Amino acid sequence: MPGELAPLAQAFFAANPELSLQALGSGVHVPSLDLAPSGIPVTHLLAEHNAELARQYLTLNQLAFGGIGVPRWVLSDLYLLPGAIGLLRCPARLLKAPARERLLLADEELAIGAACYVAPSLTPGLFVGVSLFSFLPGRGASSWVKTLTLGMVRAKFLRGVTQWDNPAVRVHTRLGPMRLVGRVPGGHDYDERTFVYETDLRDEARVAQAMARGEEQVPAMRIPVTDLAALGALLDRAEAGARLELVPPGQDAGHVLVRELRG
Ligand SMILES: CC(C)(COP(=O)(O)OP(=O)(O)OC[C@H]1O[C@@H](n2cnc3c(N)ncnc32)[C@H](O)[C@@H]1OP(=O)(O)O)[C@@H](O)C(=O)NCCC(=O)NCCS
């Protein structure tokens, strides 16, 4: 039964009537998905029969992430075979310039405007945030494609990787506080400013409150996103068991907003 997120999701699509929610993945997983997360219908497209859409996803992922964009075999083996990518589709004319030019679509042809892939993990209910991008700025498109994709796969917890100075921190805190987990297992191309966080998705009312930026303002430490010594020390403490989190909105004027939970 749709819960607290449903009216917010409906309001998002009412304000953006040209967007629709779709998924691209292997047919075998369809019975495991919720194809109406927060009451929003998802059109599932079989990856086996939609090679052109997969190619479009590959192009946009590589444009969004540059040198660390997804290689084709990883898209097949680690995205489309084990799971499903959540997509917001829209007429190509709505995409911002580099994406629009790269895809060479006619104005009214359907394009991927924003996409989210979260990978299943060995721990039941825990998914790993792998790729989130949007070429539809100023609409909250990435926070909605992320929230609805997590609903579609029935995630209870999300672990993700991001950078202190990435504008995406504001997007991630639309789903609630980001508990600091530590450094990236195996390292990262941007190691010095990258961290792992966890979001608890079990309480839908809490997620809805964060989506609406309705969370109570809580006192938080403000640490410059460039103070890598102080931020690295936070990760040391998180790895040692301290309960530290980025509180919504996560970033403000070049600072991250950090709170320590006691007890
Ligand atoms: C990060 C990204 C997904 C955001 O896309 P989007 O949802 O279309 O972005 P929006 O314009 O709706 O903005 C989302 C939030 O980020 C903030 N933001 C966006 N661009 C920003 C910038 N350059 N500097 C600071 N904040 C910015 C917005 O103010 C908004 O905050 P709010 O939710 O508190 O209002 C998109 O820029 C992207 O695809 N980046 C490249 C790939 C990437 O880094 N992905 C994240 C990996 S962790």
Side-chain angles (χ1 to χ4, degrees):
M1 201 175 77
E4 293 84 347
L5 275 167
L8 300 179
Q10 274 161 20
F12 171 75
F13 283 97
N16 295 279
E18 293 182 296
L19 305 192
S20 58
L21 186 61
Q22 300 193 345
L24 180 67
S26 293
V28 66
H29 305 305
V30 171
S32 304
L33 299 172
D34 176 355
L35 292 179
S38 303
I40 304 298
V42 182
T43 303
H44 187 283
L45 301 167
L46 296 176
E48 296 87 339
H49 301 145
N50 284 280
E52 184 52 33
L53 186 60
R55 193 200 54 74
Q56 189 184 115
Y57 176 83
L58 191 72
T59 301
L60 292 179
N61 181 299
Q62 291 174 352
L63 181 61
F65 292 102
I68 59 167
V70 65
R72 188 164 201 164
W73 72 267
V74 175
L75 176 63
S76 301
D77 293 17
L78 299 178
Y79 288 41
L80 298 174
L81 274 167
I85 305 170
L87 305 172
L88 278 180
R89 310 259 336 257
C90 63
R93 67 181 146 73
L94 297 185
L95 264 57
K96 76 175 182 185
R100 214 179 143 181
E101 285 151 14
R102 195 68 69 93
L103 293 182
L104 299 169
L105 295 174
D107 280 0
E108 299 307 321
E109 272 185 277
L110 265 196
I112 297 170
C116 177
Y117 178 59
V118 295
S121 81
L122 286 175
T123 302
L126 174 66
F127 283 73
V128 177
V130 177
S131 288
L132 174 70
F133 64 78
S134 161
F135 290 100
L136 296 169
R139 301 167 184 254
S142 66
S143 54
W144 275 111
V145 78
K146 179 174 177 177
T147 302
L148 295 170
T149 300
L150 288 164
M152 178 179 78
V153 300
R154 308 175 195 277
K156 300 292 177 214
F157 289 92
L158 173 77
R159 282 198 174 198
V161 173
T162 194
Q163 292 75 40
W164 305 111
D165 58 347
N166 193 324
V169 167
R170 287 189 72 102
V171 175
H172 301 320
T173 56
R174 286 265 178 188
L175 287 92
M178 300 163 70
R179 185 175 71 76
L180 299 183
V181 174
R183 293 180 177 78
V184 184
H188 190 278
D189 289 278
Y190 313 134
D191 232 357
E192 69 295 342
R193 57 193 173 92
T194 298
F195 61 96
V196 179
Y197 69 90
E198 184 172 286
T199 305
D200 183 342
L201 302 162
R202 290 173 298 175
D203 182 346
E204 185 175 337
R206 197 161 174 242
V207 176
Q209 193 180 35
M211 273 306 269
R213 285 275 189 254
E215 189 139 315
E216 253 175 73
Q217 290 298 312
V218 291
M221 293 179 275
R222 292 172 64 89
I223 304 180
V225 296
T226 49
D227 189 347
L228 298 180
L231 295 167
L234 284 184
L235 295 183
D236 290 338
R237 296 195 52 230
E239 286 169 358
R243 292 172 62 210
L244 294 155
E245 58 186 27
L246 299 192
V247 295
Q251 264 172 359
D252 176 44
H255 293 70
V256 283
L257 310 178
V258 184
R259 154 174 70 185
E260 179 155 9
L261 303 175
R262 312 270 175 192

